[in-house]
Amino acid sequence: MTTAPPAPVDTDEVAFVAGLRRLKAWSGLSYRQLERRAAQAGHTLPYSTAATMLGRDRLPRAELVAAFVAACGLRADQAEAWLDARMTIAYGGQRAEEEATPTPRIRSLRRPRRALAAVVALAAVLLGGTLAGGALTDDVEVDDTRTSLQVPRS
């Protein structure tokens, strides 16, 4: 890696992914090596995901780009340029005044939704069991019901 890494292209998705392919070629690393280096940098980048990402012409998610450029060995300022280019493409060629919500915050919002869904499901099961058991019915209604199973009163 004696030459400078390729610069990111922020014109369109196809050119951006082509730039990521050039970056992989520049790094000289295999997909398995990229997976290991991403893990060492604190990211998750399965080799199959990296291969799929480079095999398509769609804009990859920001966390994949961050993991990929870190695995390729880019410095923080170079990695930031790739993420900025991705954001420019994602916003249709215009830089947003405010930065997008960081990925860890997005993940943290998903957890409460799952927990809320689990609580609602549990409440529905408990309420259904209570209703099926007759705990919320009036005893008067049960006494007034005439069935063949009713015990005669003395």
Side-chain angles (χ1 to χ4, degrees):
M1 289 193 265
T2 58
T3 62
V9 180
D10 63 1
T11 56
D12 62 17
E13 296 177 8
V14 175
F16 183 79
V17 175
L20 288 174
R21 288 184 201 114
R22 285 191 299 277
L23 183 60
K24 181 192 177 296
W26 172 82
S27 73
L29 300 171
S30 70
Y31 289 112
R32 296 268 186 185
Q33 290 170 321
L34 287 170
E35 180 180 26
R36 284 190 291 273
R37 290 190 58 181
Q40 291 168 352
H43 297 279
T44 301
L45 182 67
Y47 72 92
S48 59
T49 302
T52 302
M53 176 180 74
L54 296 182
R56 294 182 178 165
D57 286 333
R58 293 191 329 217
L59 193 63
R61 296 186 323 260
E63 63 267 15
L64 291 178
V65 173
F68 185 79
V69 297
C72 286
L74 295 185
R75 295 186 321 262
D77 59 330
Q78 294 168 326
E80 192 66 33
W82 280 91
L83 291 171
D84 287 345
R86 188 220 169 268
M87 191 179 300
T88 299
I89 295 166
Y91 284 108
Q94 298 175 351
R95 287 286 302 163
E97 289 299 318
E98 294 182 20
E99 293 294 318
T101 305
T103 302
R105 177 149 158 77
I106 292 171
R107 283 190 192 138
S108 68
L109 290 176
R110 289 182 185 152
R111 286 189 190 119
R113 283 190 216 151
R114 288 182 187 150
L116 179 61
V119 167
V120 169
L122 179 62
V125 167
L126 292 175
L127 183 59
T130 302
L131 291 174
L136 300 178
T137 60
D138 262 343
D139 290 336
V140 175
E141 289 178 20
V142 174
D143 286 341
D144 290 342
T145 305
R146 307 216 185 270
T147 63
S148 59
L149 298 176
Q150 191 171 14
V151 179
R153 295 184 191 179
S154 4

